[in-house]
Amino acid sequence: MTYPKKGTPQGGVISPLLANLYLHWFDKAFFKADGPAKWANATLVRYADDFVIMAKYQSHRLKHFVEDKIEGWLGLEINREKTKTVDINKYREKLNFLGYTFSYKNDLRGGEYTYLCCEPSKEAIQTARNSVNNLLARNKGCVPLKILISQLNRFLMGWGNYFSFGHDRVAKRKLNYHCYQRLTKHIRRRSQRPYRPPEGTSYYKHCNNLGLLYL
């Protein structure tokens, strides 16, 4: 067994608390009279150790302020691989933050206008798919189907509530289809004989009759 001398375990419950204790003072410095909130008209949005700085001009002075306060003053380390400057006004430029992707997209009606789209990120959708796969894994074949669907619905309700902001229709449609496919495969796998839904009922409708929630 090893005992690291710095950092906290990935996903540890103490990590967000320590991040808030340290970065609270970064918030204070940022919004002081001599901070970027004043001289750069910048806005800081932070959740635990994840934060986004929005400003019309991402100057060298602003970058130096962040690095000096985070690393020089607080003694923390910035993850350079996950840190970048994004010009959200440029075509195909995307900002990923807290599971959402922000980007400008063309008018859905084919016009010349663009709109700021806020939707679940590809990583968030893939993580949700993995969670569904785990809930309906092969080793769950002995768990009563009613309990499995209840657990699946609980996850879907939580995911749907979190991603209810913005343009979530496409992502939810993809997740609905994945759940239907995985549940159908699970039902057919757990039966020793070839399984078919009641006559005149599709698998999609059958899953719905069993109580599967569709977002």
Side-chain angles (χ1 to χ4, degrees):
M1 182 178 294
T2 59
Y3 297 91
K5 296 183 179 180
K6 64 178 181 179
T8 58
Q10 182 70 27
V13 295
I14 194 64
S15 181
L17 175 60
L18 292 176
N20 285 330
L21 288 175
Y22 270 83
L23 294 179
H24 167 77
W25 300 106
F26 175 70
D27 298 348
K28 289 281 190 179
F30 191 94
F31 289 103
K32 285 178 62 175
D34 58 347
K38 299 298 182 181
W39 48 260
N41 195 26
T43 300
L44 170 67
V45 180
R46 184 176 67 82
Y47 183 85
D49 61 343
D50 290 329
F51 62 86
V52 170
I53 297 176
M54 296 177 288
K56 190 172 183 179
Y57 300 106
Q58 297 286 338
S59 63
H60 177 74
R61 181 184 178 187
L62 180 57
K63 180 181 178 182
H64 176 74
F65 174 88
V66 174
E67 292 178 346
D68 178 65
K69 294 299 181 183
I70 296 291
E71 297 185 327
W73 182 43
L74 294 175
L76 304 175
E77 183 178 347
I78 297 176
N79 189 332
R80 294 298 196 282
E81 295 180 358
K82 295 183 179 180
T83 303
K84 64 178 181 178
T85 301
V86 176
D87 186 350
I88 198 66
N89 291 312
K90 290 184 178 179
Y91 182 65
R92 293 187 181 278
E93 285 284 330
K94 297 180 179 181
L95 169 65
N96 292 322
F97 186 55
L98 301 181
Y100 278 94
T101 293
F102 300 86
S103 65
Y104 273 97
K105 292 191 174 183
N106 294 328
D107 186 358
L108 295 177
R109 297 183 178 179
E112 60 181 1
Y113 300 102
T114 59
Y115 69 99
L116 181 60
C117 179
C118 170
E119 58 188 348
S121 66
K122 292 181 179 179
E123 293 77 10
I125 297 175
Q126 186 57 52
T127 300
R129 286 174 174 169
N130 294 339
S131 297
V132 171
N133 295 346
N134 292 333
L135 287 171
L136 299 175
R138 285 183 176 273
N139 61 358
K140 302 296 180 65
C142 295
V143 179
L145 194 57
K146 184 177 181 180
I147 294 178
L148 281 180
I149 294 177
S150 176
Q151 294 173 346
L152 185 59
N153 286 345
R154 191 179 305 117
F155 166 76
L156 290 173
M157 289 180 63
W159 196 91
N161 287 335
Y162 180 82
F163 288 105
S164 60
F165 176 78
H167 307 82
D168 59 351
R169 184 175 58 182
V170 175
K172 288 182 177 179
R173 187 186 301 133
K174 290 180 179 179
L175 188 56
N176 284 338
Y177 181 75
H178 183 75
C179 289
Y180 148 69
Q181 290 276 40
R182 294 296 301 189
L183 182 58
T184 299
K185 184 177 181 180
H186 178 82
I187 293 173
R188 298 178 66 177
R189 183 175 62 229
R190 66 189 285 153
S191 177
Q192 295 181 356
R193 298 179 179 179
Y195 182 88
R196 294 184 182 278
E199 185 177 354
T201 304
S202 65
Y203 273 107
Y204 185 90
K205 180 63 176 178
H206 184 53
C207 289
N208 182 257
N209 292 339
L210 290 173
L212 178 63
L213 173 69
Y214 290 112
L215 298 175

